[in-house]
Amino acid sequence: YHFLKLLISQHTATFTIIRFTLPYLSKQRWEEGKSSDGQKWTTLEHNGPLFPPEYEPLPNNVVFYYSGEAFKLGLASEEIATFYAKMLDHEYTTKEVFQKNFFNDWREEMTEDERKVIKKLSKCNFSELHAYFVNKAEEKKNMTKEEKQALKEDNAKLTEQYGFCFLDGHREKIGNFRVEPPGLFRGRGEHPKMGKLKKRIQPEDITINCSKGSRIPGPPQGHKWRKVQHDNTVTWLASWVENIQGHPKYIMLNPSSKLKGEKDWQKYETARNLKLRVDSIRRQYQSDWSSHEMRNRQRGVALYFIDKLALRAGNEKEDDTADTVGCCSLRVEHITLHKELDGKEWVVEFDFLGKDSIRYYNKVPVEKRVFKNLKLFMENKDPDDDLFDRINTSSDSSQMTVLLITSLSAEDMTVEEKILAYNRANRAVAILCNHQRAAPKTFEKSMQLLQEKIKKKKEQIELAKRELKEAKNAHRERPSDKSKNLVAKKEKVLKRLQEQLKKLQLQMTDKEENKVIALGTSKLNYLDPRITVAWCKKHKVPIEKIYNKTQRDKFAWAIDMTDEDFEF
DNA sequence: TAGAAGACTTGTATTTAACAGC
DNA sequence: GCTGTTAAATACAAGTCTTCTA
C-alpha cells in the first residue's frame, strides 16, 4: 500500500507521501472499529455477470489465404484468426514472442485438417479479415445519430440490469460487471506470454457469490454455473480463473460504493496513524545501518530507499512474467555506485524496470553509511544476484515509509493559479512515485496550437490597448457621459483579454510540465481526498475543478465528512 | 511454516464521450 | 452540423498483501 498526504495550507500546496507495507501496521491495534471476524456484508444480491456476445462468423466474401490459396477456417479457428487480424497494425504483432505464442495456441485449437495445412504463420494472409474489421469500425463511426442513440439506449438497459447489486440493502454500482471477452493476451513489456489465446469464459467457469436466501442469478439458457457460494468474508460477486497465468479474476464493486469507500477511508486513517511513528521508524532503520547482523543492515537500507524514493516493496514474482523488480527484488546489476558524480558525493545510480515495465532511472546522493553498506552487499556477487539477499517483503516487521514535502506558494492567487499550484504539488508526487506516461502523440501539435492562441491573444491585447488610449484621448478632448462610458468599456475589454491570456499561459505551463507525467494514479490512490476537499473549501475552489464526476463519486465519503479545517 | 492460492489495490492503455472550433 | 482534440470511462494487467494448506 502506498499512502500520501496532501497538505495545502494558506496559499501553499504541500504534499507528504507515505508509502508502507500493511503487515507492519495491521499488527498494531489501530483498527478503527473494524469488525474482527472479517465479515464484509450481511446480504448480497445481484444478477450475475454479463457475457460478451457470441462469435459472429465472417461473411463468405471475406477470405483467409494460406500460401496464397483461399482457405475456409472452421468457426473456432476462424474466431482466433480474427483476434490476430484485428491487431495487425499494432506493434505487438511484429514481436517474435507474440507471433510464436499466438501461432502455437491457434494451432492447438485447430481441427486436424486445418493443422495439416496451416504450418507457418508467415504463410498466413489475414489482410482481408483486417480490412473487414477496419471497414466495420468505419461504418460504426458513420452511423446515423438515431442508430447511435439506439445503441446507447441498449447499452444503458444492460447497465441498468447487470451494473448494480444490492449489498446490505443498498443499491450499489458494480465496477466490472462484464465477463472479459476472449482475445490475445497483451502483457506489458517483454512478457513471455504475450500473444497467447485468452479463452472464452463459459458460465460453467464462473463461481457466483451472494447471500443465502437471496435470488440467485440465472445462468444463460442451457448453461449452469460452476458453483454458487455464500461467503460474506469476501467482497466479490463472481469469479473465474483466467487461462494465461491461472489467476482468479473477480467481479467487484465500483469505487463509489460504500464498501470500497470505507476501505479507502481506513487506508488514509492508517496513513495518518503512521505519521505519528515515522520519526521512530526512521531512527530505527538508521541505527540498523550499523547493525552487526547483515539481515538488519539490508533491511535498514531497503527501508531507507523506500522511504526516500517511494520504491515499491518488490515481492518475489513468478517465472513466465516480465522481468521487473521493486526494492527488495533489486539485483546488483540495477545499481551503480559512484563515490563522486556531478559534484556530489556517494551517489547511487538506479536503472531498472518497475511495475508495468516502466523504467526507473535516478541518480541519488545517499548517506555515506548507506553507500558503504551497498558496497558490502555487492561484494562477491554476480550482476544477476539479489542486492538484498537476506530479506524479502514478508520478513518480520518490514516497516516501510516515505515522506516527501514539496512546497509551492504564492500570494493572492486566482482560481486558475491555485489549480496550477495544486497540480504542481500533485505532479511532485507523481514524479517521486515514477508515474510516467508516454508523451501524447498529439502533444507537439496541441502545444503549437496553444502557442498560436497566446500569440493571437497578445495581438488582441495590443489592439485593445490602442483603442483604450484613443478612447481616453477622445474623452480628455471632449468629455461626455458617452466618452466616459466608452473608456470604461474599453478598460473592461482589455482587462478581460489580459485575464484570458494569463489563463492560457497557465494552461500551457501545466501542459508542458505534464508532458510525460501521469497525475491520475496519485490523485486516485495516494492523496487523502479529505485534504483536497478541505483545501477547496478553504480557498473557494469549486471541487469540480479538481475532481471530475467519477472522482467525486469515489471520494463521496471525503466530500461528505470534511470541513475546511480538516488536518491530516 | 514456507510456498501456493486467493483477494484486493494500483497503473497504464484503450475505448468512448464530450467538447471546441470551424 | 461536422470534425478533430481532449477528457472521462472502461478494461484488464500487474502489483501488494493475506490466507490457506501440505
Side-chain angles (χ1 to χ4, degrees):
Chain A
Y1 287 82
H2 319 66
F3 292 94
L4 59 81
K5 154 197 173 185
L6 151 67
L7 267 179
I8 306 172
S9 56
Q10 188 74 39
H11 289 159
T12 303
T14 307
F15 281 112
T16 304
I17 305 178
I18 307 170
R19 208 180 232 195
F20 59 92
T21 61
L22 208 55
Y24 167 72
L25 294 159
S26 56
K27 280 169 196 154
Q28 316 301 316
R29 297 209 185 101
W30 294 342
E31 282 87 335
E32 292 250 320
K34 131 184 125 184
S35 73
S36 51
D37 55 0
Q39 311 276 314
K40 308 282 168 59
W41 46 263
T42 312
T43 62
L44 174 62
E45 182 165 302
H46 57 90
N47 290 338
L50 176 60
F51 287 86
E54 287 300 307
Y55 175 64
E56 266 182 51
L58 294 170
N60 282 330
N61 62 338
V62 178
V63 182
F64 167 75
Y65 299 93
Y66 189 76
S67 256
E69 308 253 321
F71 189 98
K72 181 70 187 164
L73 292 163
L75 214 61
S77 35
E78 181 186 280
E79 180 179 13
I80 300 167
T82 66
F83 297 154
Y84 193 81
K86 279 178 190 168
M87 288 182 75
L88 229 44
D89 46 19
H90 199 291
E91 200 202 333
Y92 269 118
T93 56
T94 64
K95 296 190 178 184
E96 212 173 297
V97 178
F98 190 93
Q99 295 174 356
K100 200 183 116 253
N101 282 334
F102 160 71
F103 197 59
N104 280 345
D105 283 7
W106 188 29
R107 272 177 59 85
E108 247 171 60
E109 302 296 319
M110 285 179 188
T111 64
E112 203 55 54
D113 290 343
E114 288 167 341
R115 204 162 22 232
K116 258 187 229 155
V117 177
I118 301 171
K119 292 196 164 148
K120 269 194 167 169
L121 182 61
S122 59
K123 291 189 174 176
C124 295
N125 180 348
F126 300 96
S127 57
E128 280 196 14
L129 281 65
H130 179 71
Y132 171 72
F133 289 112
V134 170
N135 191 257
K136 245 187 151 182
E138 189 63 26
E139 273 175 16
K140 199 179 167 194
K141 229 171 81 185
N142 294 335
M143 279 189 315
T144 65
K145 227 175 163 183
E146 292 71 33
E147 288 171 319
K148 279 183 184 166
Q149 186 59 31
L151 213 65
K152 205 175 157 183
E153 274 163 25
D154 288 351
N155 224 7
K157 250 182 233 164
L158 287 175
T159 304
E160 189 60 29
Q161 189 181 354
Y162 291 97
F164 296 85
C165 69
F166 279 93
L167 190 138
D168 291 344
H170 296 284
R171 187 164 186 262
E172 297 277 23
K173 217 169 158 184
I174 301 171
N176 55 327
F177 57 88
R178 288 167 201 272
V179 173
E180 290 177 18
L184 303 182
F185 175 74
R186 299 147 92 116
R188 311 262 168 96
E190 294 302 309
H191 201 296
K193 291 193 170 178
M194 65 170 83
K196 282 181 71 62
L197 173 66
K198 214 172 96 166
K199 292 186 174 167
R200 186 178 282 276
I201 304 300
Q202 301 294 344
E204 284 72 12
D205 300 319
I206 290 186
T207 299
I208 297 289
N209 194 42
C210 59
S211 55
K212 243 178 219 163
S214 74
R215 198 184 43 75
I216 289 165
Q221 194 76 60
H223 288 277
K224 51 183 178 216
W225 303 120
R226 186 179 88 98
K227 189 179 150 194
V228 176
Q229 63 168 45
H230 312 288
D231 180 357
N232 71 353
T233 67
V234 296
T235 65
W236 51 268
L237 321 187
S239 76
W240 68 90
V241 175
E242 51 91 7
N243 65 295
I244 303 288
Q245 324 255 12
H247 288 163
K249 294 255 184 176
Y250 305 95
I251 304 269
M252 286 186 189
L253 295 189
N254 188 276
S256 63
S257 60
K258 187 162 172 273
L259 188 79
K260 293 282 190 193
E262 277 176 354
K263 194 82 192 298
D264 207 32
W265 175 22
Q266 190 191 312
K267 173 179 91 174
Y268 291 110
E269 282 305 297
T270 313
R272 235 174 153 186
N273 283 317
L274 178 71
K275 192 179 74 165
L276 308 172
R277 308 183 45 114
V278 156
D279 289 341
S280 92
I281 291 168
R282 287 198 171 129
R283 276 196 300 277
Q284 177 63 51
Y285 77 59
Q286 285 177 13
S287 77
D288 276 344
W289 294 343
S290 321
S291 166
H292 54 270
E293 263 198 73
M294 186 60 100
R295 197 174 68 125
N296 291 347
R297 284 197 187 206
Q298 292 195 355
R299 191 184 63 198
V301 172
L303 274 169
Y304 167 77
F305 281 165
I306 289 170
D307 183 8
K308 192 178 171 75
L309 305 171
L311 302 187
R312 291 184 189 79
N315 284 328
E316 282 181 40
K317 289 186 54 165
E318 297 163 86
D319 303 334
D320 285 352
T321 59
D323 178 18
T324 61
V325 297
C327 186
C328 291
S329 47
L330 278 170
R331 300 192 295 264
V332 170
E333 61 196 333
H334 294 131
I335 66 167
T336 313
L337 303 180
H338 304 276
K339 222 169 185 169
E340 208 201 306
L341 186 71
D342 308 330
K344 287 169 189 151
E345 276 193 309
W346 319 117
V347 176
V348 184
E349 185 181 355
F350 292 84
D351 192 354
F352 62 90
L353 296 182
K355 182 175 178 181
D356 294 317
S357 295
I358 299 286
R359 186 181 180 206
Y360 183 94
Y361 183 78
N362 203 359
K363 288 182 276 194
V364 192
V366 301
E367 276 80 348
K368 189 177 172 185
R369 269 188 300 167
V370 170
F371 192 89
K372 296 283 173 194
N373 269 316
L374 286 169
K375 210 165 170 190
L376 186 66
F377 303 159
M378 290 164 84
E379 261 170 25
N380 302 318
K381 281 189 193 167
D382 289 331
D384 60 347
D385 284 338
D386 284 340
L387 177 64
F388 303 113
D389 55 316
R390 308 292 173 88
I391 58 169
N392 59 55
T393 54
S394 59
S395 48
D396 61 322
S397 65
S398 53
Q399 329 145 9
M400 308 185 162
T401 61
V402 164
L403 238 150
L404 162 108
I405 300 176
T406 45
S407 196
L408 312 148
S409 62
E411 288 298 317
D412 305 323
M413 297 190 290
T414 64
V415 169
E416 280 75 27
E417 287 170 319
K418 285 176 192 166
I419 291 170
L420 179 64
Y422 181 94
N423 286 344
R424 281 195 161 145
N426 192 163
R427 189 150 45 237
V429 172
I431 288 168
L432 180 87
C433 295
N434 204 38
H435 292 149
Q436 295 191 42
R437 62 167 186 179
K441 285 195 180 86
T442 55
F443 184 83
E444 295 304 331
K445 204 175 159 190
S446 63
M447 209 60 183
Q448 236 165 13
L449 234 67
L450 252 178
Q451 195 80 259
E452 274 163 33
K453 267 195 199 169
I454 288 176
K455 208 174 140 197
K456 228 186 226 170
K457 197 62 75 183
K458 278 181 177 165
E459 285 166 7
Q460 286 177 334
I461 288 176
E462 283 313 306
L463 184 70
K465 273 184 181 167
R466 276 204 302 278
E467 286 180 1
L468 175 63
K469 212 170 173 182
E470 278 167 25
K472 274 182 174 168
N473 284 341
H475 179 58
R476 205 175 307 127
E477 279 167 22
R478 208 183 287 177
S480 70
D481 275 358
K482 199 178 163 194
S483 67
K484 195 180 159 191
N485 284 343
L486 190 69
V487 170
K489 200 174 144 196
K490 291 289 174 192
E491 271 174 345
K492 218 170 147 188
V493 167
L494 178 63
K495 203 175 160 203
R496 213 175 85 207
L497 283 171
Q498 280 171 332
E499 274 167 11
Q500 284 172 339
L501 175 67
K502 207 168 168 188
K503 211 167 155 180
L504 281 173
Q505 283 170 331
L506 283 174
Q507 217 182 341
M508 182 148 118
T509 308
D510 211 24
K511 206 181 179 83
E512 178 66 50
E513 290 179 356
N514 248 358
K515 186 174 176 180
V516 292
I517 307 298
L519 296 189
T521 302
S522 48
K523 200 174 188 178
L524 232 50
N525 302 302
Y526 292 67
L527 300 171
D528 188 328
R530 292 171 298 182
I531 298 166
T532 297
V533 172
W535 177 83
C536 281
K537 285 191 174 160
K538 194 162 182 178
H539 299 289
K540 311 275 187 283
V541 176
I543 193 85
E544 296 80 15
K545 299 263 183 187
I546 302 288
Y547 288 147
N548 66 31
K549 174 78 165 47
T550 320
Q551 292 162 344
R552 291 199 299 279
D553 286 346
K554 167 165 177 166
F555 297 134
W557 60 271
I559 294 170
D560 278 353
M561 71 164 73
T562 310
D563 58 28
E564 68 170 80
D565 40 55
F566 169 81
E567 274 187 44
F568 180 80

